[in-house]
Amino acid sequence: MKQISTIKLGLARGTLEIKQFNRQRESVVFTILFPVILLFIFGSVFNDSIAPGVTFSQYFVAGMIASGLVNSGFQQLAISIPIERDLGTLKRLRGTPMPATAYFIGKGIQVLYSMFLQLTLLLFFGTIFFGLDLPTQPSKWFTFTWLIILGTASSTLLGIAFSVVPKSGRGASAVVSPVVIVLQFFSGVFFIFTTLPSWMQHFAAIFPLKWLTQGMRSVFLPDSFATQEAAKSWEINKIAIILIAWLIAGVFISLKTFKWTKE
Amino acid sequence: MLHPLVIDVSNLTKTYGGKTAVNGINLQVHKGEVFALLGPNGAGKTTTVEILEGYRGRDSGKVSVLGFDPNAKVSKLAERAWRDQIGIVLQTTMDALDLTVRETLTHFAKYYTNPKDSNAVIESVGLTEKVDEKVRTLSGGQRRRLDVALGIIGRPELLFLDEPTTGFDPEARRAFWELIRNLRDEGTSILLTTHYLDEAEALADRVAIINNGEILEVATPKTLGGRQNSKVEISWIENGEPRSSLSDTPTATVQELAARLGGEIAGLTVARPTLEDIYLKMIGENS
Ligand SMILES: Nc1ncnc2c1ncn2[C@@H]1O[C@H](COP(=O)(O)OP(=O)(O)O)[C@@H](O)[C@H]1O
Ligand SMILES: [Mg+2]
């Protein structure tokens, strides 16, 4: 019997997810504008120099871009998938030949899309108002690209994996949001990472967000700042390895634990 | 019937935390048949159907749906091939998509190897006027028709319908019945659950009456509960008093009455038990 390609179905799912995402005004506003609003608040309040040629605003924009990956992937999916489960959207899909992998790909595409919108706004306002310098070296753009790809993929899959934790769609936000906020505090988004207590730094180093923020700083801050990092270097290879490890864990966990229905 | 079985269930049981919901059910549905599971709320209809659809596990029993055990650990490809052949209309769906009727249907059509034409399906469920409306703006009955459309878009060989017409007005119900008859004429096998007797009677080739997780009888609507040979109730008025008697030979009884009462019989009715009478009697005896 002829088979429909999972990739093709995933692309069809992605198109549909984007269409639905665009039609849900609240979620567009929340996921796209919220980081920009935070940028304006934090960037305006704390704009001291933290190192020669580096202001806290610049440090913060890099952290917000990394956070954006966690917000539009992990947070958004771990909240919206339980709602889809409550409403029976997933139960209906489960009754069709559409495989889970295609559903995951669709979610990834939608996350990439909202990430792209968010990123455009952050970079735009960051460069105009907060002294963010767009990198000029191709190697930085290369790092940026794989950070976005690995970050989106692992964030998506970990969001899918975490979607089994909230007991209901209504309670999902209360379960997921604190996790993300705590992670943001611990990972050096709102504070300079090296000023945090060392237990916090060690804890944060288990999770991807800390590594994403560090990676984004390597792209957007001058190389001279590398010595200010916890390890006195950007640790680019380590970042890649840790993100890939989380990505593999995410694939494995979501395929094993994904639930289409509450039963 | 000589047609092969599309559904073959034996000794199916399912309990929820010690409470038995399905208690040793046997069920055979043949290719091309419309089979109705008729029973009151809580009888175990949804549990049974969702086990067959692969949504729920079972405690014991054998289940084969299009030659496939929905609970067996098989390859993802085998399961996809199986799901390609079946259509499912769930009892409750609440997903209000931010998509139009057309967008939803053309998207779901992509999941299947040999889908029906979306426009034809939309027309057959009577949603042509709503084709460009958002799903969330549809009324309950219209949304139910979209559920049915999504159930049949993949040109299923076997269609499951769990209480498909709950909430329909009489006109929509008639139109739905017509749709089911057309599907049957195309050769689709159908397992539907309902608590409406008239629906089972109008649509089903065979009906199984289910109550408290047990199947009380499987028969054609005409022969259910021995309806075709059951005693006929004859009632009349004699000396101002209502009288009645049950008879195997109603014609003779009426002739005898006419002779005795000398001509016209006051208040005469001759009635075979309705399907409803039989159904209520069965359910009552089982409870
Ligand atoms: N998920 C569940 N958990 C616990 N009990 C359930 C569940 N689903 C159904 N039941 C119980 O099983 C019995 C049969 O329910 P169901 O199959 O939904 O019947 P029907 O569809 O005929 O109304 C009922 O007593 C119901 O309360
Ligand atoms: Mg039910």
Side-chain angles (χ1 to χ4, degrees), chain A:
Chain A
M1 202 190 72
K2 96 179 175 204
Q3 273 289 342
I4 303 163
S5 121
T6 300
I7 303 282
K8 213 170 116 193
L9 279 179
L11 293 177
R13 288 286 323 158
T15 316
L16 194 82
E17 297 271 11
I18 290 175
K19 209 180 260 180
Q20 279 184 271
F21 177 81
N22 285 341
R23 289 178 190 177
Q24 287 162 357
R25 295 258 158 63
E26 330 83 80
S27 71
V28 175
V29 171
F30 181 79
T31 45
I32 309 295
L33 277 186
F34 185 63
V36 176
I37 293 166
L38 277 186
L39 172 64
F40 271 87
I41 295 171
F42 273 77
S44 312
V45 176
F46 309 101
N47 50 7
D48 311 347
S49 263
I50 56 171
V54 180
T55 63
F56 180 76
S57 314
Q58 291 171 307
Y59 191 95
F60 184 68
V61 182
M64 281 314 292
I65 291 170
S67 286
L69 289 163
V70 177
N71 290 126
S72 48
F74 180 82
Q75 183 170 25
Q76 203 259 117
L77 295 181
I79 293 172
S80 66
I81 293 175
I83 295 173
E84 289 192 320
R85 194 178 290 126
D86 276 5
L87 292 178
T89 313
L90 296 187
K91 188 171 185 178
R92 193 200 293 279
L93 290 177
R94 202 244 174 297
T96 73
M98 196 269 303
T101 314
Y103 175 78
F104 295 173
I105 293 172
K107 287 292 182 200
I109 291 172
Q110 184 241 296
V111 170
L112 202 59
Y113 170 78
S114 70
M115 188 58 218
F116 176 77
L117 296 181
Q118 209 176 95
L119 205 59
T120 311
L121 289 181
L122 280 176
L123 292 181
F124 179 75
F125 290 110
T127 44
I128 291 196
F129 295 107
F130 301 103
L132 186 75
D133 295 319
L134 293 186
T136 46
Q137 297 147 264
S139 68
K140 297 263 174 177
W141 283 110
F142 175 72
T143 308
F144 181 69
T145 308
W146 66 250
L147 278 171
I148 295 288
I149 291 170
L150 280 182
T152 303
S154 50
S155 184
T156 298
L157 285 156
L158 294 171
I160 292 169
F162 201 80
S163 74
V164 301
V165 175
K167 290 255 179 321
S168 74
R170 230 157 10 120
S173 181
V175 178
V176 178
S177 303
V179 173
V180 172
I181 291 168
V182 167
L183 215 55
Q184 285 174 329
F185 274 106
F186 283 27
S187 301
V189 174
F190 300 123
F191 303 109
I192 295 164
F193 187 70
T194 46
T195 64
L196 295 170
S198 71
W199 67 268
M200 261 190 208
Q201 295 188 23
H202 288 304
F203 183 76
I206 302 169
F207 302 101
L209 181 56
K210 183 254 173 186
W211 302 99
L212 284 169
T213 56
Q214 194 169 312
M216 288 301 172
R217 286 197 295 273
S218 85
V219 173
F220 293 102
L221 299 190
D223 274 332
S224 60
F225 192 79
T227 55
Q228 307 282 319
E229 291 289 343
K232 314 283 176 229
S233 96
W234 296 125
E235 300 181 283
I236 293 295
N237 293 336
K238 195 167 174 189
I239 293 171
I241 289 167
I242 286 171
L243 290 180
I244 288 170
W246 273 105
L247 177 59
I248 292 168
V251 171
F252 189 74
I253 300 170
S254 16
L255 283 174
K256 278 275 176 243
T257 64
F258 187 68
K259 284 202 297 204
W260 298 94
T261 59
K262 297 185 106 178
E263 278 131 47

Side-chain angles (χ1 to χ4, degrees), chain A residues 1-6 9 12-13 16 19-20 23-24 84 86-100 255 261 263, chain B residues 50 54-56 77 79-81 83-86 88 90 93-100 103 107-108 110-113 134 136 147 150:
Chain A
M1 202 190 72
K2 96 179 175 204
Q3 273 289 342
I4 303 163
S5 121
T6 300
L9 279 179
R13 288 286 323 158
L16 194 82
K19 209 180 260 180
Q20 279 184 271
R23 289 178 190 177
Q24 287 162 357
E84 289 192 320
D86 276 5
L87 292 178
T89 313
L90 296 187
K91 188 171 185 178
R92 193 200 293 279
L93 290 177
R94 202 244 174 297
T96 73
M98 196 269 303
L255 283 174
T261 59
E263 278 131 47
Chain B
E50 293 201 351
Y55 283 111
R56 306 189 193 199
L77 281 185
E79 187 182 341
R80 272 175 81 177
R83 293 210 174 275
D84 198 56
Q85 306 296 310
I86 61 176
I88 295 176
L90 295 164
T93 49
M94 298 178 291
D95 53 334
L97 305 170
D98 286 297
L99 299 167
T100 67
E103 285 168 340
H107 174 76
F108 273 72
K110 292 180 182 153
Y111 298 168
Y112 297 91
T113 52
K134 295 269 174 64
R136 63 166 74 254
D147 288 340
L150 292 171

